[in-house]
Amino acid sequence: MLVQPLGSLAPHLQRVLRSPRAHQAVWRHFPSCAVPHLHTSKNLMSSELKQSDANQRKTSKAQLERIRRADTGSPFSVFTAGAARKRAESVKSQMGVELAETSTVTKVGKSLVPLKPLNVDDWKKLKTESPNKTRFEVSMMEKLLSARADIDVAKSLLVFVTMENGTVEYELLLKYLALCVQQQHLTEILDLYGMMKTRFKILDIGAYSLFISGFSKTDRWREAVMFLDSIKKMVTPSPRNYGDIVISALKHKEVETAWMLFKEMENKNLKPTENTLEAFFDYGKSFCDDQYENKVMYILFYLRDNQIYPGKGLMQSIHSWFESIPGKQWEGHETTILHSGKCPVCNTLLESIQLSVEEYHLLRECVMNDIIQGTDTFKKTTPQELQHFQTFVKNRPPYDIVIDGLNVANIAPKGNQSKILLDVVSYLANRNMRLLVLGRKHMLRGTRSWNKGHMADIQKYADCFFTENISEDDPFLLYATMHSGNHCKFLSRDLMRDHKACLSDQNTRRLFFKWQRGHQLVLSRYNPGNRMKFEIISKYDTIVQTTQDTWHIPYDEEGVERCSYEVPRKWLCLRKYN
Amino acid sequence: MWFRVAHIFQTFAGHYSLQLKTCVKNKVPLIRCQFMPHHRMLVLTSCKKNEEKKVSPDKLDLDIWKTIMKETASEAPKTCPSEDPVDAFSAATREMVQMWRLAGKAVPENITEEQLSIVQELPSKSAKKKYLKYLAIKEGKKKATKEKRKIKQEGAEYLQKEKQNGGGVELKNTFLLQFWQRSFDVMYNWRAAQSMLFGQPLVFDMSYESNMARREMENTVSQLLECEGFNRKSLDPFHLYFCNMMPEGSYHKELLKRYGDAWDRLLITVTEKSYVDIFPKDKLVYLTADSPSVLKSFHHDKIYIIGSIVDKSIQTGLSLANAKRLKLATARLPLDEYLKWDVGAKNLTLNQMISILLTVKETGNWQEALKFVPKRKHEGFLPVPEQKYCNQFKNHQNKTRIDNGPVKKARRQKSTLNLNQGVEKSSNKKRWWLDED
């Protein structure tokens, strides 16, 4: 039954892949886009299959149509998870460099670790043989730790040390403690704690962290909170410190303690680890009351507010937690969202990528203050130029597309730069767009790559503004786009990461990124003489979101490296049946 | 095998363990006692129980170190000297530092109150660790020099003794008195004084106080000290100006700290005024790595400005912004023209800058001057058709004044391109717009 639609798809897919356009040599000029595009059409088969599995109402006709649509506009935009990686790969393969796979150079045992406990004499012999006599014990313990050796070997080493020196140094004890924690010898950890407490007045942060993760697995997990307090006296504890205790508190059904710690972490601006969040969902299944449900909802909104995308493991925990709620029939599916912003499983329209009016004004303000003016207007431009530009923009009606002239002109390594720009500008102008082209003054000088005739033509099609050669043009681009209003888009391949970094706080950076995803046009294919193609701007926002009876949660796939300026592709759709 | 023997001694167990305790107390290495029967005894008392459980003999004594540790624990609980509870927080920090030391982290052995308060003020754990590591390295270096000095002193004393034993010192017949450092200083100061009257000014712009962290400021002042020293010792020194210097600012404080009394006797001009108030604007050239134009040859009638800033967090375009604001000419060193650049930023330290400028002032030879660029940053000199470069340049010499009119500027840049087209192509991202091909 499933094979059937696939069978009917296969020839079409092959046609798509073999279509002459895919084989044109030109795509090599656009490393950023062409390869991802091809890749998605190949991948499409599996994802489509899953969808048809989830939703059998879809006819194969609709699927065909969707494939065709995917072909006309790659769903794989620059902001999709893994795009940067693919770009790097294609650039490297073009340069003829084999992409060095993360070579797993395992430390081949040049220094062997004893496998069985040795007695004192053997250790003594080993020590005289070793090149590093002063720190022999510590380095040996480190080796044992990295080799995950048996704890008895470590113990025998400690016996040897006590026989030699009459005592064990703190550093060695610490390494031994790390070994115990690594292998979860809980009684040994408790013993060690008793010993260290009597010997040392306080311990260092490393030891406290180790004790926290050790104790939180035992019945004495409450004492771990005490260690946390001692750490707090010196530095801010790490998210893992908190996480260890939260997990054990949840395991012992002490929801209040866990919740208090979670809140504390949030107040300190620490990002909880994946495991911590997973624990809330995993252990939450056993005690399901309204109060706890509220807490879980709070966590989901926390993910939303901080734009945290769960990993595969956490996603599965969330999935099973929802399905375990008694009384309400939740059903979850993994899916990918259509271009239209519609979830193929439940047909819900996802949140729009457009900013709200207040958000838009806030962002515009911040872009003006932080990115363009900054601490010193002279860094990026001059006040006169800025003034000039502002009046220039103000005196003209809003634009539809603002073009980064230099970025667009350099899209192909070969070819006349002004010609490329003219092509793009005329293409867009013929679609009745009001255009603004930004550039630098040197473009007007009339050189071989900047033909004066071309430049004159461009000025016929569009308004142009040329900045000084030493000014930056990106801030002007952002300003002009924002000033023209919400409908205005900008055309550039630049990811604007440096400008995003100029923004003062995390929230505006997130707003900027959302705005960028919704307003940045990227030229995905350009072939002189042929039509050009732009990457599709997604209509929906990739963020954890909910309606009355659905939740949509984007998550990171396993094995896909996602950069900070990319968003996941896969979604978890949760739907409630009443 | 010797477990059996142990039974014989069993009755003496209490007695032996007592002996062991004293042994540990006196920190006598136990290994020496191994041949003594009583040591063996202690091992066996715990073994005996296990033997019945049929555990392999290897495993038997694995926990003995704990008993020993526990016994010694009561003796030595004072690894951390208890602090006065005056300032609990600083005491806690001090203890933390001590424990880090015990844990084998790079932290200093001794830490002063002032340093401690700096540690406390630092916001994050990594900042604290970094600062402590810095202190540890500093301490280590200090110790090493102390040691060296000691050895040297001992050697000198030994030589002295040898001499005394070998008879009186033979007096040499020379026509000069010994030339002491003092005489050198007089000569250098004489030169510096002359340069203050007739020398070419070189300006250090001290307006970056707010752009630097403490460490950067300290580094800047060290570099300034080196600059002044190198300048003084050169044949034809510059007349150094420290402009925009805020009295009681952090530059001033740090310089006072480093120079001490000598600060008031220094033969340089320190002023609160800006360079634009002192010198004619058209003579000023701001040297900055971000500049679009290249310093092709050194002009003896220009006044060069160096921004005295160490910029560890990358803040590009700071000094260029300053020059733009005051509408000054800017220039950068011809690094790409002469060197095959490899790694590292193009901004050089202040002392490297002054060395380069002094050399090019004396010799007019960039190849010679750019030897002061750190070797790690470049792969070697490029074969520049120097003659051509210099000759052609003379024709354009009057054009090097940097104009504010954009049209003129553009023309000037074009001429630059013609001059060094061959070199230019190599890799210069900054001026890619000059690329005409």
Side-chain angles (χ1 to χ4, degrees):
Chain A
M1 181 181 137
L2 281 175
V3 182
Q4 207 280 320
L6 182 67
S8 65
L9 278 181
H12 178 81
L13 262 177
Q14 279 194 338
R15 234 179 300 135
V16 167
L17 290 174
R18 283 209 196 129
S19 69
R21 239 181 300 127
H23 278 266
Q24 272 165 1
V26 199
W27 64 262
R28 241 183 287 126
H29 295 161
F30 316 109
S32 63
C33 324
V35 171
H37 177 87
L38 267 180
H39 178 90
T40 32
S41 22
K42 271 177 206 156
N43 261 5
L44 219 59
M45 203 164 0
S46 57
S47 65
E48 289 300 323
L49 191 60
K50 258 183 221 158
Q51 278 166 19
S52 70
D53 182 16
N55 196 344
Q56 290 167 5
R57 276 169 294 168
K58 295 273 170 210
T59 58
S60 65
K61 209 174 175 184
Q63 284 177 0
L64 276 173
E65 209 241 336
R66 214 179 309 145
I67 288 170
R68 214 170 288 135
R69 209 186 310 152
D71 183 46
T72 49
S74 151
F76 209 94
S77 79
V78 271
F79 300 116
T80 320
R85 172 95 185 151
K86 293 227 169 65
R87 226 155 39 220
E89 272 171 27
S90 69
V91 166
K92 270 190 184 162
S93 67
Q94 259 181 55
M95 284 160 65
V97 183
E98 286 282 311
L99 191 70
E101 277 304 311
T102 42
S103 54
T104 46
V105 184
T106 45
K107 278 182 195 165
V108 184
K110 62 181 174 189
S111 50
L112 290 167
V113 167
L115 291 172
K116 270 190 239 157
L118 303 180
N119 62 29
V120 175
D121 290 333
D122 289 340
W123 276 120
K124 205 173 172 187
K125 210 172 118 198
L126 212 61
K127 184 174 178 177
T128 48
E129 279 166 8
S130 87
N132 179 6
K133 283 185 187 58
T134 47
R135 279 173 60 84
F136 167 75
E137 293 88 359
V138 174
S139 64
M140 180 52 79
M141 195 60 102
E142 275 170 0
K143 276 179 220 158
L144 292 176
L145 190 63
S146 61
R148 303 180 77 88
D150 190 44
I151 191 170
D152 286 344
V153 185
K155 276 183 184 170
S156 74
L157 176 63
L158 285 175
V159 171
F160 160 70
V161 173
T162 34
M163 289 303 179
E164 283 255 290
N165 307 326
T167 178
V168 182
E169 290 295 320
Y170 181 73
E171 194 179 355
L172 194 60
L173 277 179
L174 208 60
K175 296 270 151 58
Y176 177 63
L177 175 61
L179 188 87
C180 294
V181 172
Q182 183 193 48
Q183 299 172 15
Q184 312 242 338
H185 294 284
L186 301 176
T187 47
E188 195 68 22
I189 294 167
L190 298 183
D191 260 20
L192 211 51
Y193 175 64
M195 198 178 297
M196 282 169 94
K197 202 170 76 176
T198 48
R199 285 212 55 159
F200 305 103
K201 205 168 128 201
I202 63 157
L203 303 175
D204 82 320
I205 296 161
Y208 281 130
S209 297
L210 286 169
F211 277 129
I212 286 176
S213 60
F215 269 59
S216 58
K217 291 184 184 72
T218 66
D219 293 334
R220 289 167 67 183
W221 64 272
R222 269 167 229 278
E223 284 172 56
V225 183
M226 206 176 69
F227 299 139
L228 192 72
D229 288 335
S230 337
I231 292 183
K232 268 186 237 165
K233 270 184 216 156
M234 302 183 257
V235 294
T236 323
S238 71
R240 263 192 63 190
N241 295 153
Y242 277 108
D244 282 332
I245 306 179
V246 168
I247 290 168
S248 66
L250 284 169
K251 212 193 255 169
H252 294 90
K253 308 207 170 181
E254 296 260 350
V255 180
E256 283 313 313
T257 321
W259 191 246
M260 197 192 71
L261 287 168
F262 179 80
K263 284 290 214 182
E264 198 176 307
M265 211 175 346
E266 195 188 339
N267 288 339
K268 288 190 173 166
N269 248 333
L270 296 170
K271 188 184 161 194
T273 60
E274 187 107 322
N275 289 342
T276 318
L277 296 171
E278 220 172 303
F280 273 106
F281 291 99
D282 279 346
Y283 295 116
K285 281 177 223 159
S286 49
F287 27 82
C288 215
D289 52 353
D290 284 351
Q291 226 177 353
Y292 194 78
E293 209 175 310
N294 284 342
K295 282 179 180 135
V296 169
M297 290 303 148
Y298 183 88
I299 290 174
L300 287 170
F301 279 110
Y302 173 83
L303 294 180
R304 177 188 165 85
D305 293 341
N306 292 287
Q307 213 158 3
I308 298 170
Y309 301 118
K312 183 110 182 170
L314 178 52
M315 184 274 293
Q316 274 157 357
S317 295
I318 295 173
H319 188 167
S320 56
W321 181 81
F322 267 103
E323 292 190 340
S324 76
I325 304 177
K328 294 161 193 166
Q329 293 282 311
W330 284 92
E331 195 186 296
H333 292 287
E334 293 158 32
T335 178
T336 37
I337 304 292
L338 303 178
H339 286 318
S340 54
K342 209 181 234 182
C343 170
V345 181
C346 60
N347 280 327
T348 319
L349 212 58
L350 293 198
E351 268 176 55
S352 158
I353 191 117
Q354 301 301 336
L355 302 185
S356 70
V357 179
E358 304 93 71
E359 282 174 333
Y360 191 78
H361 283 295
L362 177 74
L363 183 62
R364 198 161 73 175
E365 201 85 340
C366 286
V367 165
M368 191 65 208
N369 292 337
D370 295 342
I371 297 183
I372 301 174
Q373 283 174 344
T375 47
D376 187 357
T377 320
F378 283 98
K379 264 194 201 169
K380 285 176 179 161
T381 168
T382 58
Q384 294 97 315
E385 197 177 32
L386 188 59
Q387 189 66 42
H388 184 190
F389 181 70
Q390 277 174 324
T391 48
F392 176 90
V393 175
K394 224 174 264 172
N395 291 335
R396 276 146 233 256
Y399 295 99
D400 294 322
I401 296 179
V402 182
I403 297 168
D404 186 349
L406 282 166
N407 191 292
V408 170
N410 285 304
I411 196 154
K414 282 175 214 159
N416 190 305
Q417 289 171 315
S418 56
K419 180 79 177 68
I420 296 171
L421 187 57
L422 177 63
D423 271 0
V424 175
V425 168
S426 59
Y427 174 84
L428 291 170
N430 287 335
R431 271 150 191 74
N432 283 331
M433 299 281 189
R434 263 192 63 71
L435 303 175
L436 170 66
V437 176
L438 288 170
R440 291 208 177 97
K441 286 202 164 130
H442 69 83
M443 289 156 71
L444 290 172
R445 248 167 44 209
T447 56
R448 246 183 71 192
S449 49
W450 291 102
N451 189 316
K452 269 191 175 163
H454 289 161
M455 293 311 286
D457 285 345
I458 288 170
Q459 293 188 29
K460 263 184 236 160
Y461 285 121
D463 285 349
C464 293
F465 186 86
F466 297 98
T467 63
E468 292 292 333
N469 292 342
I470 48 173
S471 295
E472 285 192 43
D473 52 359
D474 292 343
F476 291 112
L477 178 83
L478 297 176
Y479 178 79
T481 317
M482 300 215 109
H483 189 87
S484 293
N486 215 345
H487 72 285
C488 181
K489 310 259 190 294
F490 66 96
L491 177 62
S492 172
R493 239 184 351 176
D494 198 322
L495 291 167
M496 308 276 165
R497 279 173 289 177
D498 45 345
H499 304 296
K500 191 163 65 174
C502 290
L503 291 168
S504 51
D505 68 311
Q506 199 62 41
N507 192 34
T508 37
R509 268 179 227 167
R510 250 174 253 138
L511 279 183
F512 182 84
F513 185 42
K514 187 177 169 183
W515 174 81
Q516 189 189 1
R517 274 182 288 149
H519 291 85
Q520 180 161 15
L521 279 170
V522 179
L523 203 58
S524 64
R525 273 194 198 181
Y526 169 75
N527 178 16
N530 255 334
R531 71 197 183 109
M532 51 199 76
K533 198 171 284 174
F534 298 93
E535 275 180 20
I536 281 191
I537 293 179
S538 68
K539 292 194 175 69
Y540 57 92
D541 190 15
T542 307
I543 197 165
V544 177
Q545 49 192 280
T546 179
T547 61
Q548 263 195 340
D549 50 3
T550 63
W551 273 95
H552 285 93
I553 299 164
Y555 67 92
D556 282 325
E557 288 164 278
E558 239 163 335
V560 175
E561 267 178 75
R562 184 173 60 81
C563 293
S564 60
Y565 54 86
E566 294 172 346
V567 291
R569 237 153 56 87
K570 301 289 269 178
W571 289 74
L572 172 68
C573 163
L574 292 154
R575 173 166 53 150
K576 187 161 67 175
Y577 289 111
N578 286 332
Chain B
M1 198 196 116
W2 30 276
F3 302 137
R4 296 251 173 85
V5 188
H7 288 288
I8 308 164
F9 296 104
Q10 205 174 9
T11 43
F12 298 104
H15 170 71
Y16 290 131
S17 69
L18 198 79
Q19 259 198 329
L20 182 80
K21 240 190 225 175
T22 51
C23 188
V24 171
K25 236 185 259 178
N26 305 332
K27 298 225 170 165
V28 176
L30 275 174
I31 203 78
R32 273 186 218 152
C33 320
Q34 263 203 325
F35 299 108
M36 288 184 254
H38 63 250
H39 166 66
R40 215 178 271 171
M41 198 55 232
L42 183 90
V43 177
L44 297 171
T45 39
S46 61
C47 297
K48 214 196 84 192
K49 284 183 279 171
N50 290 341
E51 204 179 22
E52 282 144 4
K53 288 183 208 159
K54 305 235 161 130
V55 188
S56 71
D58 276 345
K59 233 180 175 178
L60 295 179
D61 51 356
L62 282 181
D63 281 332
I64 185 164
W65 63 277
K66 279 189 196 166
T67 26
I68 295 173
M69 287 286 287
K70 271 174 192 153
E71 274 162 16
T72 51
S74 51
E75 321 290 331
K78 293 181 196 88
T79 17
C80 302
S82 51
E83 289 284 323
D84 300 323
V86 189
D87 187 357
F89 192 60
S90 93
T93 319
R94 190 176 281 272
E95 274 173 1
M96 176 188 76
V97 173
Q98 255 164 358
M99 289 320 280
W100 266 348
R101 184 167 182 80
L102 280 182
K105 294 244 166 65
V107 293
E109 212 173 322
N110 304 307
I111 185 163
T112 63
E113 285 301 320
E114 192 196 342
Q115 288 164 343
L116 212 57
S117 64
I118 293 173
V119 173
Q120 281 167 24
E121 278 164 24
L122 291 171
S124 69
K125 184 175 156 190
S126 60
K128 280 175 190 177
K129 271 187 183 166
K130 237 181 220 171
Y131 181 69
L132 286 171
K133 191 176 176 187
Y134 158 72
L135 287 180
I137 290 170
K138 214 166 118 183
E139 194 179 49
K141 277 182 185 163
K142 226 175 197 174
K143 241 182 217 164
T145 44
K146 228 177 203 173
E147 208 114 288
K148 248 185 209 167
R149 200 177 297 152
K150 207 174 162 189
I151 289 169
K152 219 174 179 181
Q153 224 166 22
E154 272 167 13
E157 269 168 30
Y158 178 76
L159 271 180
Q160 196 105 34
K161 261 181 200 168
E162 285 261 286
K163 255 184 193 173
Q164 276 176 358
N165 292 345
V169 189
E170 212 175 293
L171 289 171
K172 271 190 233 156
N173 189 9
T174 81
F175 86 105
L176 278 180
L177 286 175
Q178 188 168 357
F179 207 67
W180 294 103
Q181 186 62 43
R182 208 185 315 129
S183 337
F184 273 114
D185 286 344
V186 169
M187 186 184 72
Y188 290 146
N189 281 336
W190 173 249
R191 264 193 217 151
Q194 275 205 318
S195 81
M196 282 194 73
L197 286 173
F198 311 112
Q200 181 182 5
L202 182 74
V203 179
F204 282 94
D205 181 6
M206 317 286 265
S207 61
Y208 299 99
E209 230 163 51
S210 55
N211 299 95
M212 281 188 282
R214 175 200 293 268
R215 283 280 292 286
E216 292 171 331
M217 174 61 77
E218 283 170 10
N219 292 350
T220 311
V221 169
S222 306
Q223 291 179 14
L224 283 174
L225 254 63
E226 272 193 58
C227 282
E228 192 271 326
F230 196 86
N231 183 53
R232 184 152 36 106
K233 283 169 191 152
S234 74
L235 273 178
D236 181 16
F238 282 112
H239 177 191
L240 295 187
Y241 278 83
F242 286 3
C243 288
N244 291 329
M245 177 103 140
M246 289 295 138
E248 301 305 313
S250 51
Y251 275 116
H252 189 217
K253 268 185 209 157
E254 189 69 29
L255 277 166
L256 262 184
K257 190 174 138 196
R258 301 289 285 275
Y259 269 114
D261 295 336
W263 174 245
D264 292 324
R265 283 181 271 124
L266 227 50
L267 293 171
I268 58 175
T269 306
V270 180
T271 167
E272 281 173 61
K273 281 196 243 167
S274 172
Y275 30 84
V276 279
D277 300 333
I278 304 174
F279 304 107
K281 247 185 179 178
D282 56 339
K283 290 265 177 213
L284 290 170
V285 178
Y286 210 119
L287 295 178
T288 161
D290 296 321
S291 170
S293 48
V294 189
L295 185 69
K296 274 183 253 82
S297 77
F298 184 85
H299 292 265
H300 296 272
D301 57 341
K302 294 273 183 193
I303 294 145
Y304 293 100
I305 308 169
I306 300 172
S308 58
I309 175 173
V310 169
D311 176 18
K312 285 193 174 162
S313 61
I314 308 140
Q315 315 172 47
T316 46
L318 256 187
S319 48
L320 186 68
N322 262 343
K324 262 158 94 182
R325 191 186 341 263
L326 300 166
K327 295 204 168 69
L328 296 179
T330 58
R332 58 179 181 83
L333 294 182
L335 298 176
D336 286 318
E337 284 72 15
Y338 284 91
L339 300 172
K340 199 172 171 205
W341 201 262
D342 187 19
V343 289
K346 300 256 168 73
N347 46 3
L348 303 175
T349 62
L350 303 177
N351 51 318
Q352 284 157 14
M353 280 301 286
I354 202 170
S355 315
I356 289 170
L357 288 177
L358 277 167
T359 318
V360 80
K361 183 184 173 201
E362 271 169 34
T363 62
N365 184 351
W366 278 114
Q367 303 245 351
E368 195 63 36
L370 292 181
K371 276 180 186 156
F372 287 99
V373 176
K375 292 265 188 312
R376 66 170 188 281
K377 287 194 176 184
H378 64 88
E379 286 170 350
F381 284 86
L382 285 170
V384 179
E386 181 122 13
Q387 283 297 310
K388 194 177 145 202
Y389 192 73
C390 285
N391 288 341
Q392 276 204 359
F393 177 68
K394 269 173 195 161
N395 308 331
H396 293 276
Q397 223 167 30
N398 42 3
K399 277 192 186 173
T400 22
R401 182 180 305 135
I402 297 186
D403 317 290
N404 301 316
V407 187
K408 268 188 179 173
K409 199 170 187 174
R411 203 178 297 147
R412 189 185 49 72
Q413 276 166 352
K414 202 173 168 187
S415 67
T416 321
L417 185 83
N418 292 336
L419 286 179
N420 43 15
Q421 223 162 13
V423 192
E424 194 89 41
K425 267 188 186 172
S426 57
S427 66
N428 195 355
K429 268 194 169 173
K430 264 198 186 125
R431 289 161 307 131
W432 48 265
W433 64 78
L434 296 180
D435 207 344
E436 292 200 343
D437 299 68

